[in-house]
Amino acid sequence: MQCKLYVFEKTAQSWIERGRGLLRLNDMASTDDGTLQSRLVMRTQGSLRLILNTKLWPQMQVDKASEKSVRITAMDTEDQGVKVFLISGSSKDIGQLAAALHHRILALKSRAEQETEAPATSIPEAEVPQSNEDDSDEEDKGSASAAASTPATSNSDGGENQAAGST
């Protein structure tokens, strides 16, 4: 889409125009699990100077600032830091861009949550047999196995921490 790109300058507390040009949302399918890896790339008209090239990440902020603009946090190509950018364009293009960015970031967030939940459920199962082998008293083995069965049957929100703290 054709648009203008502004960057928020903290020292001056104002928006500074970075350039006008073509903004692209590039998607590449990951070879691992088929999910999308997306980038926002913008080049100026005429000289085709690169003014925005950032990967989308789960904690990226995307806000529709007005009918014709979207505010995002992105990596800056000049100083490699995270900055606040404003993309200004037609209301139709901005609506489509905001929806596309929101959809992709939600997908990244859900994938990141699934990755953090998968190791959390496998760690207690690996620790339970080790704690049973270390116990020399048979009565302690019986209570340890009873406590170990509690996290497996409860949900992973808080049952594991309570059972682990009691043993």
Side-chain angles (χ1 to χ4, degrees):
M1 67 179 245
Q2 290 291 328
C3 61
K4 288 183 186 178
L5 180 70
Y6 299 90
V7 63
F8 187 73
E9 193 62 46
K10 289 182 183 178
T11 56
Q13 292 291 311
S14 63
W15 294 101
I16 298 177
E17 185 174 336
R18 189 56 79 79
R20 302 173 189 216
L22 188 65
L23 177 78
R24 293 179 184 222
L25 179 59
N26 295 340
D27 292 325
M28 183 177 73
S30 175
T31 56
D32 301 338
D33 50 3
T35 57
L36 291 179
Q37 293 177 344
S38 302
R39 298 188 77 82
L40 267 177
V41 180
M42 185 169 176
R43 292 184 178 271
T44 58
Q45 278 180 326
S47 67
L48 300 179
R49 183 174 59 97
L50 186 69
I51 55 176
L52 180 68
N53 182 11
T54 185
K55 192 175 184 177
L56 299 188
W57 70 90
Q59 293 80 22
M60 188 174 188
Q61 299 293 319
V62 176
D63 303 315
K64 195 165 180 187
S66 71
E67 184 69 25
K68 294 185 174 185
S69 62
V70 172
R71 183 175 46 241
I72 63 168
T73 56
M75 291 294 290
D76 191 10
T77 55
E78 292 179 0
D79 63 2
Q80 300 301 318
V82 177
K83 289 195 175 179
V84 179
F85 291 92
L86 186 74
I87 300 167
S88 175
S90 71
S91 59
K92 178 185 169 189
D93 287 341
I94 291 297
Q96 290 176 343
L97 176 67
L101 289 174
H102 183 70
H103 172 72
R104 284 165 177 81
I105 291 173
L106 280 179
L108 286 171
K109 283 181 183 177
S110 66
R111 192 175 97 202
E113 288 173 3
Q114 288 174 356
E115 288 175 357
T116 57
E117 288 174 3
T121 56
S122 64
I123 291 171
E125 294 171 2
E127 290 177 358
V128 169
Q130 294 171 353
S131 65
N132 286 344
E133 292 172 4
D134 293 339
D135 292 337
S136 60
D137 194 2
E138 289 185 17
E139 291 177 6
D140 289 338
K141 283 186 182 180
S143 63
S145 63
S149 65
T150 305
T153 56
S154 67
N155 62 12
S156 63
D157 291 338
E160 295 175 31
N161 293 338
Q162 293 171 355
S166 65
T167 55

